[in-house]
Amino acid sequence: MIFKKLGSPEWLLVCLGNPGDPYENTRHNVGFLVIDQLADRENLPVQRLKHKALTNTALIGGKPVLLMKPTTYMNLSGEAVGEAARFYKIPPDRVLVISDDVSLPQGKLRVRRSGSAGGHNGLKSIIASLDTENFNRIRIGIGAKPNPQYDLAAWVLGKLPPADRKAMTDRYPDIEDACKLLMDGNLQYAQNKFNH
């Protein structure tokens, strides 16, 4: 992914997580982990506070993109996304959200153009703010909780063990490719390539 500072964005790349040290390296913060890794690699930190998010502008596959890490906490992520989408006049079909998914095995990807929140409070907030389910998303599996009695909040807010963290980092090139394909309008190809 070639990151470069640019003018007014045509896309929003929203990576979900919770701000603050207690949430670092947790399952629920895989969106933050993805954008931090890519930004670090390109020496383009996502640090400018704007639209209730830490942001930076980048060129991804030739398209100007606003990179976003909402600072609202997960369940209010839509406040940041809606504000930025309105400000830049970006339609929902040019919003791409990267989030965790407890229903997918560790490290598995699911690329979609639309759909329900599936119980994910960040996606639920974004759907409410954009007033549509029709926006792009890449969901990253964090694995199911170990047993039915285990508290779901404790599971998603638990720290990623080294092996699980590696399962995430191994998928970063695929996540990057999926972003480019979606932004190029190649949804079907991205789904065929990564949804298996």
Side-chain angles (χ1 to χ4, degrees), residues 21-139:
D21 293 343
Y23 301 102
E24 278 188 23
N25 298 315
T26 60
R27 293 178 180 88
H28 219 23
N29 270 35
V30 297
F32 280 12
L33 292 173
V34 167
I35 198 64
D36 287 345
Q37 189 273 341
L38 294 172
D40 286 351
R41 193 185 74 201
E42 300 294 335
N43 194 26
L44 191 68
V46 181
Q47 295 178 336
R48 184 175 179 208
L49 187 58
K50 192 173 185 182
H51 307 299
K52 299 181 183 174
L54 296 176
T55 68
N56 207 332
T57 307
L59 192 67
I60 302 176
K63 294 173 179 59
V65 178
L66 184 70
L67 311 174
M68 299 183 70
K69 291 169 60 176
T71 58
T72 56
Y73 290 97
M74 186 69 79
N75 62 346
L76 297 175
S77 299
E79 292 183 6
V81 178
E83 185 176 304
R86 288 187 295 273
F87 183 83
Y88 293 108
K89 298 179 172 55
I90 294 175
D93 64 357
R94 289 198 174 189
V95 173
L96 172 52
V97 178
I98 298 179
S99 68
D100 63 293
D101 192 321
V102 73
S103 67
L104 294 174
Q106 185 73 45
K108 182 172 172 52
L109 303 183
R110 179 71 41 82
V111 177
R112 298 186 69 186
R113 171 65 48 83
S114 64
S116 73
H120 193 288
N121 288 332
L123 293 175
K124 196 179 298 181
S125 176
I126 293 169
I127 289 168
S129 182
L130 296 178
D131 197 27
T132 182
E133 295 182 347
N134 298 321
F135 57 88
N136 300 282
R137 69 230 27 209
I138 300 172
R139 293 164 28 210

Side-chain angles (χ1 to χ4, degrees), residues 147-167:
N147 62 64
Q149 287 74 40
Y150 199 90
D151 181 63
L152 181 60
W155 175 250
V156 299
L157 296 177
K159 298 286 185 187
L160 281 165
D164 291 357
R165 180 82 187 261
K166 185 178 184 316

Side-chain angles (χ1 to χ4, degrees), residues 2 6 10-11 58-65 94 180 183-185:
I2 297 174
L6 206 68
E10 297 173 5
W11 278 80
L59 192 67
I60 302 176
K63 294 173 179 59
V65 178
R94 289 198 174 189
K180 288 179 184 173
M183 290 178 185
D184 283 340

